[in-house]
Amino acid sequence: MATPRTMKAVQYDKYGGGAEGLKHVEVPVPSPKKGEVLLKMEAASINPIDWKIQKGMLRPFLPGKFPFTPVGDLAGEVVELGSGVTSFKPGDKVISISFPSGGGLAEYAVAPAALTVARPPEVSAVEGACLPAAASSALQLLKATGVSFDEKTSGATGPKNVLVTAASGGVGHYAVQLAKLAGLHVTATCGSRNIAFVQGLGADEVLDYKTPEGAALRSPSGRKYDAVANCAAGVSWPALRAALSDEGGTAADVTPGARAAITSLLQKATLAKKRLAPLMMTPKREELEWLVDLARQGKLRTVVDSRYPLGRAQEAWAKSVDGHATGKIVVEIGGAE
């Protein structure tokens, strides 16, 4: 079936505006350049970075130009190859991350072949679209604290007790599962309504972040942590430092501010035992392949908070901005509205 010349897409044409700033448009289907693949989209998942870019938090660098079609976590079917692409063929079902180019809120999107992986039949398009940014961030957060996922060395060295904050969110719910796969004792924080959910992910201890103990990140068993995977916004370095063991440890932060980078540099210069590691997730194909294989084996579960058709993308966007999703928010494309 021939690719049409135009497609439905959702774009914004200036900074700010939130969900109301998203517009439904008819635009030309993009053409894949060298090293790219064109996907007929099946699903895209929204991450906080998507609406933070719209708010202007990475201004003037991103987006590269207006109007902009947001969202970089993609699942779809390859329909066309750019020059030099030999690892895929039309008809292949794939998962990809297209950041910072975005393009996911559309019927077709181009993606870098180097960050595109096969989607096995055991992993649905919805599940696949959730993995690239969130699961990769969870994996890189834990690695930044010294956690090893090599079966030969896992548990031999590195952290034993990890704290995962905002454990019911997109990144956090993957971090809990990955930490348990690495053999760690996991203490997690979340809202009271999600305590049973986070326990179901495998957490050994769960704290309601609104209680005094939860606010202080205090383990119910009195444990101190040698690693913290901080997935919550607004947790200060003094609070994270107090939670770390006196012997030392690393708190990796998925929502760092400018101050975090300065703090981290000073700690390295002074050889501090307690370290803050600001994370800027760097997509890696081999990590995404590993995560997809875990999902195929049923070892890594994706929890979907809500699904919306492309025609209701504004609702999905608003849900993400609200910040209380349990798991991931997905826009399904190509199905019934």
Side-chain angles (χ1 to χ4, degrees), residues 163-176 188-191 198 209 217 229-233 235 254 325:
L163 169 69
V164 179
T165 62
S168 59
V171 177
H173 92 288
Y174 288 128
V176 170
T189 70
C190 63
V198 173
Y209 74 94
L217 307 177
N230 182 42
C231 308
V235 181
V254 80

Short mmCIF file of all heavy atoms in Angstrom, two decimals, residues 163-176 188-191 198 209 217 229-233 235 254 325:
data_model
loop_
_atom_site.label_atom_id
_atom_site.label_comp_id
_atom_site.label_asym_id
_atom_site.label_seq_id
_atom_site.Cartn_x
_atom_site.Cartn_y
_atom_site.Cartn_z
N LEU A 163 17.20 3.19 47.20
CA LEU A 163 15.94 3.92 47.36
C LEU A 163 15.51 4.40 45.98
O LEU A 163 16.30 4.99 45.24
CB LEU A 163 16.14 5.12 48.28
CG LEU A 163 14.99 6.13 48.34
CD1 LEU A 163 13.77 5.54 49.04
CD2 LEU A 163 15.43 7.42 49.04
N VAL A 164 14.27 4.14 45.62
CA VAL A 164 13.69 4.65 44.37
C VAL A 164 12.56 5.60 44.74
O VAL A 164 11.57 5.19 45.36
CB VAL A 164 13.15 3.52 43.47
CG1 VAL A 164 12.52 4.09 42.20
CG2 VAL A 164 14.26 2.53 43.11
N THR A 165 12.69 6.88 44.39
CA THR A 165 11.62 7.84 44.66
C THR A 165 10.68 7.92 43.47
O THR A 165 11.04 7.58 42.35
CB THR A 165 12.20 9.24 44.96
OG1 THR A 165 12.92 9.70 43.80
CG2 THR A 165 13.14 9.20 46.16
N ALA A 166 9.45 8.40 43.72
CA ALA A 166 8.41 8.47 42.67
C ALA A 166 8.31 7.14 41.94
O ALA A 166 8.30 7.08 40.71
CB ALA A 166 8.70 9.62 41.71
N ALA A 167 8.20 6.07 42.72
CA ALA A 167 8.31 4.72 42.17
C ALA A 167 7.10 4.27 41.37
O ALA A 167 7.16 3.23 40.70
CB ALA A 167 8.57 3.74 43.31
N SER A 168 6.01 5.02 41.40
CA SER A 168 4.83 4.63 40.62
C SER A 168 4.77 5.35 39.28
O SER A 168 3.86 5.10 38.48
CB SER A 168 3.55 4.90 41.40
OG SER A 168 3.45 6.28 41.72
N GLY A 169 5.74 6.22 39.01
CA GLY A 169 5.73 6.96 37.75
C GLY A 169 6.38 6.20 36.61
O GLY A 169 6.79 5.04 36.75
N GLY A 170 6.51 6.86 35.47
CA GLY A 170 7.03 6.21 34.28
C GLY A 170 8.42 5.65 34.45
O GLY A 170 8.67 4.47 34.18
N VAL A 171 9.36 6.47 34.91
CA VAL A 171 10.73 6.00 35.14
C VAL A 171 10.81 5.13 36.38
O VAL A 171 11.42 4.06 36.38
CB VAL A 171 11.71 7.20 35.26
CG1 VAL A 171 13.12 6.71 35.57
CG2 VAL A 171 11.71 8.03 33.97
N GLY A 172 10.15 5.57 37.45
CA GLY A 172 10.25 4.87 38.74
C GLY A 172 9.76 3.44 38.70
O GLY A 172 10.37 2.55 39.30
N HIS A 173 8.68 3.17 37.98
CA HIS A 173 8.14 1.80 38.00
C HIS A 173 9.07 0.83 37.27
O HIS A 173 9.11 -0.36 37.59
CB HIS A 173 6.70 1.77 37.49
CG HIS A 173 6.48 1.51 36.04
ND1 HIS A 173 6.76 2.44 35.06
CD2 HIS A 173 5.98 0.42 35.39
CE1 HIS A 173 6.44 1.94 33.87
NE2 HIS A 173 5.97 0.71 34.05
N TYR A 174 9.84 1.34 36.31
CA TYR A 174 10.87 0.51 35.69
C TYR A 174 12.07 0.35 36.62
O TYR A 174 12.67 -0.71 36.70
CB TYR A 174 11.33 1.11 34.37
CG TYR A 174 10.35 1.02 33.22
CD1 TYR A 174 10.00 2.15 32.49
CD2 TYR A 174 9.79 -0.20 32.85
CE1 TYR A 174 9.12 2.07 31.42
CE2 TYR A 174 8.89 -0.29 31.78
CZ TYR A 174 8.57 0.85 31.07
OH TYR A 174 7.69 0.76 30.02
N ALA A 175 12.45 1.44 37.32
CA ALA A 175 13.63 1.39 38.19
C ALA A 175 13.46 0.36 39.31
O ALA A 175 14.42 -0.36 39.65
CB ALA A 175 13.89 2.78 38.79
N VAL A 176 12.26 0.27 39.88
CA VAL A 176 12.01 -0.73 40.92
C VAL A 176 12.26 -2.13 40.37
O VAL A 176 12.97 -2.95 40.98
CB VAL A 176 10.57 -0.62 41.46
CG1 VAL A 176 10.23 -1.81 42.37
CG2 VAL A 176 10.39 0.68 42.24
N ALA A 188 11.01 2.10 48.33
CA ALA A 188 10.42 2.98 47.31
C ALA A 188 9.47 3.99 47.95
O ALA A 188 8.87 3.71 48.98
CB ALA A 188 9.66 2.14 46.28
N THR A 189 9.35 5.16 47.32
CA THR A 189 8.36 6.15 47.76
C THR A 189 7.32 6.34 46.67
O THR A 189 7.62 6.26 45.47
CB THR A 189 9.00 7.51 48.09
OG1 THR A 189 9.44 8.14 46.88
CG2 THR A 189 10.16 7.36 49.05
N CYS A 190 6.09 6.62 47.09
CA CYS A 190 5.00 6.92 46.16
C CYS A 190 3.86 7.50 46.98
O CYS A 190 3.95 7.61 48.21
CB CYS A 190 4.55 5.66 45.41
SG CYS A 190 3.87 4.37 46.49
N GLY A 191 2.76 7.86 46.32
CA GLY A 191 1.57 8.31 47.02
C GLY A 191 0.84 7.14 47.66
O GLY A 191 1.02 5.99 47.25
N VAL A 198 3.14 -0.49 43.93
CA VAL A 198 4.62 -0.51 43.97
C VAL A 198 5.11 -1.79 44.66
O VAL A 198 6.13 -2.36 44.26
CB VAL A 198 5.16 0.77 44.64
CG1 VAL A 198 6.66 0.69 44.85
CG2 VAL A 198 4.80 1.99 43.79
N TYR A 209 5.08 9.18 50.48
CA TYR A 209 5.96 10.36 50.51
C TYR A 209 5.37 11.54 51.30
O TYR A 209 6.08 12.47 51.66
CB TYR A 209 6.33 10.80 49.10
CG TYR A 209 5.23 11.50 48.32
CD1 TYR A 209 5.13 12.89 48.31
CD2 TYR A 209 4.31 10.78 47.56
CE1 TYR A 209 4.13 13.53 47.60
CE2 TYR A 209 3.31 11.41 46.84
CZ TYR A 209 3.23 12.78 46.85
OH TYR A 209 2.23 13.42 46.15
N LEU A 217 12.58 10.28 53.74
CA LEU A 217 13.15 9.15 52.98
C LEU A 217 13.69 8.07 53.93
O LEU A 217 14.69 7.42 53.64
CB LEU A 217 14.26 9.64 52.03
CG LEU A 217 13.88 10.80 51.09
CD1 LEU A 217 15.08 11.23 50.26
CD2 LEU A 217 12.72 10.41 50.18
N ALA A 229 17.97 6.19 43.43
CA ALA A 229 17.51 6.52 42.07
C ALA A 229 16.38 7.53 42.26
O ALA A 229 15.24 7.14 42.55
CB ALA A 229 17.04 5.27 41.33
N ASN A 230 16.72 8.81 42.12
CA ASN A 230 15.73 9.85 42.39
C ASN A 230 14.95 10.18 41.11
O ASN A 230 15.48 10.78 40.19
CB ASN A 230 16.40 11.12 42.92
CG ASN A 230 15.37 12.18 43.25
OD1 ASN A 230 14.31 11.87 43.81
ND2 ASN A 230 15.63 13.42 42.87
N CYS A 231 13.68 9.78 41.10
CA CYS A 231 12.81 10.02 39.95
C CYS A 231 11.80 11.12 40.24
O CYS A 231 10.93 11.40 39.41
CB CYS A 231 12.07 8.73 39.57
SG CYS A 231 13.14 7.32 39.34
N ALA A 232 11.89 11.73 41.43
CA ALA A 232 10.93 12.75 41.85
C ALA A 232 11.51 14.15 41.64
O ALA A 232 12.70 14.37 41.87
CB ALA A 232 10.58 12.56 43.32
N ALA A 233 10.67 15.05 41.21
CA ALA A 233 11.10 16.45 41.08
C ALA A 233 11.11 17.10 42.45
O ALA A 233 10.30 16.79 43.32
CB ALA A 233 10.15 17.20 40.15
N VAL A 235 13.30 17.08 45.01
CA VAL A 235 13.97 16.52 46.19
C VAL A 235 15.36 17.15 46.26
O VAL A 235 16.15 17.05 45.33
CB VAL A 235 14.08 14.98 46.11
CG1 VAL A 235 14.77 14.44 47.36
CG2 VAL A 235 12.71 14.36 45.95
N VAL A 254 17.21 12.01 38.04
CA VAL A 254 16.68 12.08 36.68
C VAL A 254 16.08 13.45 36.37
O VAL A 254 15.79 13.76 35.22
CB VAL A 254 15.65 10.96 36.43
CG1 VAL A 254 14.29 11.31 37.01
CG2 VAL A 254 15.53 10.62 34.94
N ALA A 325 0.32 10.43 36.98
CA ALA A 325 0.07 9.18 36.26
C ALA A 325 0.73 8.01 36.99
O ALA A 325 1.81 8.15 37.57
CB ALA A 325 0.60 9.27 34.84
#
